């Protein structure tokens, strides 16, 4: 069965395989993307600017809480005085005390709402500033490490690609990323 046609087909197949092999040898290797991972929650917990912002907010919260507690105490005193002295007060005095109490209560609710809004605004400003610093540090570390992409959320990230510690050090150092 050494038919000349079979021999030609086999020779053609061998030549085609050799050509494909030679082309594969000359083709550049596919590029491998270098990736990194950063745990943003950890960065926000551990960087000095975030801790400083937390302390400043806590001081402000404590101050506001004292103001609110003083207002609540004043309302309680007025309410107790009204309940205790109500039988001895004239109708107009009782109405005046009730109006005063209602005014304090409105004041309290208004201040509570303003306080919550202002606190949320300040918290967002502080977090925004720290996130900006962290994002700049992430970019610098990524450039230093020649990374093509850095992910901030992942179901799993190998410690081998975790750059969180370097980012924390870069933010705490005020900019310069930590060495490799």
């Amino acid at each position: 069965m050494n038919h000349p046609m079979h021999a030609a087909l086999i020779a053609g197949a061998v030549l085609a395989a050799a050509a494909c092999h030679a082309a594969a040898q000359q083709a550049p290797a596919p590029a491998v993307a270098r990736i990194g991972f950063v745990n943003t929650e950890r960065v926000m917990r551990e960087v000095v600017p975030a801790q400083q912002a937390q302390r400043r907010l806590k001081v402000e919260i404590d101050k506001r809480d004292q103001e609110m507690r003083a207002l609540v105490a004043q309302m309680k005193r007025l309410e107790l005085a009204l309940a205790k002295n109500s039988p001895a007060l004239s109708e107009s005095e009782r109405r005046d005390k009730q109006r005063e109490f209602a005014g304090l209560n409105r004041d309290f609710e208004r201040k509570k709402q303003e306080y919550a809004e202002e606190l949320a605004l300040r918290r967002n400003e502080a977090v925004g500033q720290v996130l900006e610093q962290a994002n700049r540090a992430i970019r610098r570390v990524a450039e230093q490490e020649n990374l093509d992409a850095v992910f901030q959320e992942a179901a799993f990230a190998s410690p081998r690609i975790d750059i969180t510690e370097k980012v924390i050090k870069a933010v705490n150092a005020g900019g310069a990323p930590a060495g490799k």
Side-chain angles (χ1 to χ4, degrees), residues 81-141:
L82 184 61
K84 180 180 175 184
N85 300 329
S86 185
L89 295 175
S90 69
E91 187 63 31
S92 67
E93 289 174 323
R94 189 176 13 260
R95 271 195 315 267
D96 288 346
K97 293 288 183 191
Q98 287 171 338
R99 266 191 239 122
E100 184 181 350
F101 180 78
L104 281 174
N105 195 34
R106 278 191 306 274
D107 219 23
F108 174 78
E109 292 300 324
R110 181 183 49 80
K111 284 184 178 187
K112 186 169 78 170
Q113 180 68 29
E114 287 174 2
Y115 170 54
E117 290 171 3
E118 189 175 327
L119 181 61
L121 180 66
R122 292 196 191 234
R123 210 175 250 140
N124 289 341
E125 287 173 354
V127 166
Q129 291 171 353
V130 175
L131 276 175
E132 283 180 32
Q133 291 174 336
N135 285 332
R136 284 193 302 270
I138 290 168
R139 279 191 293 280
R140 286 191 305 272
V141 170

Side-chain angles (χ1 to χ4, degrees), residues 1-23:
M1 290 246 245
N2 276 341
H3 194 275
M5 186 68 102
H6 283 115
L9 283 173
I10 292 173
V14 168
L15 284 174
C20 285
H21 179 71

Side-chain angles (χ1 to χ4, degrees), residues 50-66:
Q51 293 169 352
Q52 290 170 337
Q54 268 306 104
R55 283 191 293 274
R56 281 191 305 272
L57 282 172
K58 184 175 178 353
V59 166
E60 190 170 329
I61 289 169
D62 290 346
K63 178 183 169 202
R64 292 287 180 104
D65 282 349
Q66 286 176 352

Side-chain angles (χ1 to χ4, degrees), residues 18-89:
C20 285
H21 179 71
Q25 294 287 342
Q26 294 173 355
V32 176
R34 290 183 34 93
I35 61 170
F37 169 76
V38 66
N39 181 332
T40 309
E41 289 179 18
R42 180 174 165 217
V43 170
M44 294 302 290
R45 269 192 327 268
E46 295 183 20
V47 296
V48 171
Q51 293 169 352
Q52 290 170 337
Q54 268 306 104
R55 283 191 293 274
R56 281 191 305 272
L57 282 172
K58 184 175 178 353
V59 166
E60 190 170 329
I61 289 169
D62 290 346
K63 178 183 169 202
R64 292 287 180 104
D65 282 349
Q66 286 176 352
E67 291 173 15
M68 297 302 280
R69 280 194 294 272
L71 192 54
V72 167
Q74 182 181 359
M75 288 170 49
K76 283 183 180 179
R77 284 191 304 274
L78 185 59
E79 186 177 36
L80 287 172
L82 184 61
K84 180 180 175 184
N85 300 329
S86 185
L89 295 175

Side-chain angles (χ1 to χ4, degrees), residues 128-171:
Q129 291 171 353
V130 175
L131 276 175
E132 283 180 32
Q133 291 174 336
N135 285 332
R136 284 193 302 270
I138 290 168
R139 279 191 293 280
R140 286 191 305 272
V141 170
E143 289 169 2
Q144 181 188 41
E145 300 286 320
N146 295 317
L147 300 177
D148 298 307
V150 175
F151 296 95
Q152 293 181 325
E153 290 185 33
F156 169 78
S158 168
R160 189 171 35 87
I161 65 167
D162 192 344
I163 62 168
T164 304
E165 189 64 35
K166 290 177 182 178
V167 169
I168 291 169
K169 287 179 181 177
V171 172

